[in-house]
């Protein structure tokens, strides 16, 4: 069955037509891309290459080294490192794919160049409330990962047979990282069937897990230990736990992009904790990661108080204050959520 509810034939027709002949295509994703952002970008990249197109991935920033194994990674252009070459590619692009973000402002450095581009834009994403900036919008917040949607998109293009080992491994990576190893509520039986198919197509599951999760630098492992031993705080009356790292803490550990990934989930792994937060001081702002269990929506909290957004159980935002003030703000709003947290 090539088409499904997410990519119905009527909506796919103009896209199938658009991709009928070789095109110059740019693939974009959100600032500080994660496993789903890079997985979906490289899956689409490898797919378009296999179909004879001329695709380029331009990321708005750097991304974690534990994603460098993804097939095709050596061709990725980081915008801040190659601004002139990127601008030229954007000027010539006929199509732009917008993957794993719902608003051009999530790309930060690329926002204006994407918005101003005359290329046809195709959005594939699983965040709520997509902004109307694309010509073709495939937005399905119930999907566990943009990578799952990319799989369904390729199937809807009637190209299931084009999914080779490289494409399968990219898609596997995004589903694995966005579902925290296939364990979130978003992980459905259908997604398991897709993952099984990816393994049939050659994705080596154990290698992908090892590449992403067992690839810590010594410094990163020590930073995790330090965070848990010295920086973890509990607020039992609100079933909340949080961890914070200052600039000075981070400097101790020679930290690189991606090193703090997963720390917030450790705070959520404490028995009875319903809400977990992680505060990370950068030179310009405080980055905040929020995670929750069950019905409690951290997306709402991130939107209301931290200029952010995301999903119900995984969201993020920022504060342009001191680290202490950001933490104090978080603690001060907890009473407002008391009923939901103690439910
Ligand atoms: P993380 O905590 O891993 O950085 O982000 C978790 C999720 O929250 C991401 O998948 C993304 O959807 C969302 N998110 C994180 N930071 C921001 C932000 O600054 N703005 C918005 N709108 N969403 C964010
Ligand atoms: Mn995602």
């Amino acid at each position: 069955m090539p088409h499904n509810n997410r990519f119905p034939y009527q909506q796919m027709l103009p896209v199938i037509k658009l991709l009928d002949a070789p095109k110059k295509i740019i693939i974009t994703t959100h600032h500080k891309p994660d496993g789903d952002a890079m997985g979906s970008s490289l899956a689409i990249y490898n797919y378009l290459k296999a179909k004879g197109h001329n695709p380029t991935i331009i990321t708005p920033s750097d991304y974690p080294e534990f994603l460098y194994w993804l097939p095709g990674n050596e061709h990725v252009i980081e915008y801040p490192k190659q601004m002139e070459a990127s601008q030229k590619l954007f000027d010539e692009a006929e199509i732009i794919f917008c993957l794993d973000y719902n608003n051009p402002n999530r790309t930060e450095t690329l926002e204006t160049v994407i918005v101003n581009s005359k290329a046809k834009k195709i959005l594939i994403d699983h965040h709520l409330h997509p902004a109307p900036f694309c010509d073709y919008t495939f937005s399905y917040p119930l999907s566990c990962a943009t990578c799952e949607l990319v799989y369904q998109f390729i199937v809807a293009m009637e190209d299931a047979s084009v999914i080779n080992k490289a494409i399968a491994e990219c898609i596997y990576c995004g589903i694995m990282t966005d579902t925290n190893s296939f364990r979130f509520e978003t992980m459905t039986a259908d997604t398991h069937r897709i993952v099984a198919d990816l393994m049939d197509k050659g994705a080596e599951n154990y290698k992908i897990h090892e590449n992403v999760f067992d690839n810590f630098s010594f410094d990163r492992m020590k930073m995790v230990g330090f965070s848990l031993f010295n920086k973890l705080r509990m607020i039992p009356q609100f079933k909340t736990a949080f961890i914070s790292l200052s600039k000075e803490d981070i400097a101790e550990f020679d930290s690189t992009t991606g090193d703090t990934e997963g720390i917030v989930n450790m705070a959520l792994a404490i028995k009875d904790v319903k809400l977990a937060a992680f505060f990370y001081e950068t030179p310009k702002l405080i980055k905040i990661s929020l995670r929750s269990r069950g019905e409690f929506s951290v997306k709402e909290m991130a939107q209301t108080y931290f200029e952010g957004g995301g999903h119900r159980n995984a969201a993020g935002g920022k504060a342009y204050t001191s680290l202490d003030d950001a933490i104090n703000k978080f603690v001060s709003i907890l009473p407002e959520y008391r009923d939901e947290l103690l439910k």
Side-chain angles (χ1 to χ4, degrees):
M1 239 194 7
H3 296 273
N4 61 33
N5 294 339
R6 289 172 171 167
F7 295 92
Y9 189 60
Q10 281 310 317
Q11 246 176 293
M12 282 302 290
L13 255 180
V15 178
I16 292 171
K17 252 188 150 164
L18 189 66
L19 291 168
D20 205 23
K23 292 271 158 57
K24 290 181 189 149
I25 302 173
I26 292 183
I27 300 161
T28 61
T29 189
H30 59 78
H31 180 73
K32 292 282 174 186
D34 57 8
D36 190 33
M38 291 313 295
S40 56
S41 296
L42 280 154
I44 286 283
Y45 172 86
N46 287 306
Y47 165 67
L48 293 171
K49 266 240 143 144
K51 293 286 286 178
H53 295 284
N54 179 5
T56 312
I57 299 175
I58 300 181
T59 61
S61 71
D62 63 346
Y63 52 96
E65 271 181 40
F66 61 76
L67 296 174
Y68 287 2
W69 62 273
L70 282 163
N73 177 69
E74 63 278 18
H75 303 296
V76 173
I77 293 179
E78 289 177 24
Y79 180 68
K81 290 184 186 160
Q82 295 189 53
M83 285 170 70
E84 260 177 50
S86 301
Q87 187 58 57
K88 191 161 178 287
L89 286 161
F90 271 107
D91 291 342
E92 292 169 357
E94 295 163 278
I95 299 172
I96 299 177
F97 273 87
C98 305
L99 303 177
D100 204 33
Y101 63 93
N102 57 356
N103 190 308
N105 66 18
R106 292 281 293 126
T107 66
E108 301 198 4
T109 56
L110 294 179
E111 181 176 3
T112 35
V113 71
I114 290 172
V115 171
N116 293 337
S117 167
K118 297 212 159 40
K120 291 277 180 215
K121 291 163 210 156
I122 303 172
L123 178 122
I124 303 178
D125 178 49
H126 67 141
H127 296 88
L128 280 169
H129 312 308
F133 70 104
C134 287
D135 300 273
Y136 308 103
T137 298
F138 298 100
S139 164
Y140 299 97
L142 288 177
S143 180
C144 66
T146 298
C147 272
E148 179 182 58
L149 296 172
V150 164
Y151 175 95
Q152 290 162 334
F153 173 79
I154 296 174
V155 172
M157 290 291 295
E158 308 196 339
D159 280 328
S161 62
V162 179
I163 301 179
N164 54 21
K165 181 177 166 154
I167 297 171
E169 294 201 325
C170 295
I171 296 175
Y172 187 103
C173 173
I175 296 177
M176 179 188 82
T177 52
D178 259 26
T179 60
N180 201 0
S181 296
F182 316 114
R183 49 167 288 191
F184 284 165
E185 216 178 321
T186 52
M187 187 73 209
T188 63
D190 272 341
T191 315
H192 277 292
R193 277 184 276 272
I194 289 173
V195 172
D197 188 46
L198 297 172
M199 288 173 69
D200 282 343
K201 289 181 165 29
E204 294 184 82
N205 56 315
Y206 54 95
K207 273 199 201 161
I208 299 172
H209 283 261
E210 203 173 291
N211 285 339
V212 173
F213 297 123
D214 303 339
N215 214 350
F216 279 32
S217 68
F218 185 56
D219 270 328
R220 179 179 174 192
M221 198 53 123
K222 284 199 300 184
M223 185 162 78
V224 172
F226 171 81
S227 303
L228 293 177
F229 192 68
N230 290 327
K231 295 290 178 167
L232 175 63
R233 300 283 176 269
M234 268 294 282
I235 313 179
Q237 65 272 34
F238 293 118
K239 296 191 175 179
T240 296
F242 69 89
I243 293 169
S244 61
L245 290 178
S246 68
K247 274 189 290 202
E248 294 73 30
D249 296 331
I250 294 153
E252 289 263 321
F253 296 104
D254 196 19
S255 145
T256 60
T257 295
D259 277 0
T260 53
E261 204 126 317
I263 291 183
V264 65
N265 292 320
M266 295 181 183
L268 192 67
I270 301 168
K271 188 170 181 240
D272 287 336
V273 163
K274 248 189 158 172
L275 167 65
F278 176 63
F279 300 84
Y280 179 93
E281 186 178 22
T282 74
K284 285 193 204 138
L285 52 88
I286 311 298
K287 184 79 195 97
I288 300 149
S289 283
L290 298 170
R291 299 290 185 273
S292 65
R293 294 192 215 217
E295 302 280 304
F296 188 83
S297 171
V298 282
K299 174 179 182 279
E300 190 274 326
M301 182 184 268
Q303 267 177 337
T304 311
Y305 291 105
F306 298 110
E307 299 179 37
H311 311 277
R312 185 184 68 181
N313 298 123
K318 40 207 168 288
Y320 297 91
T321 61
S322 70
L323 181 58
D324 281 344
D325 283 352
I327 294 169
N328 289 340
K329 179 172 178 182
F330 173 73
V331 173
S332 75
I333 62 175
L334 292 177
E336 189 185 314
Y337 294 96
R338 184 193 166 88
D339 290 350
E340 285 171 82
L341 286 167
L342 301 187
K343 220 178 343 195

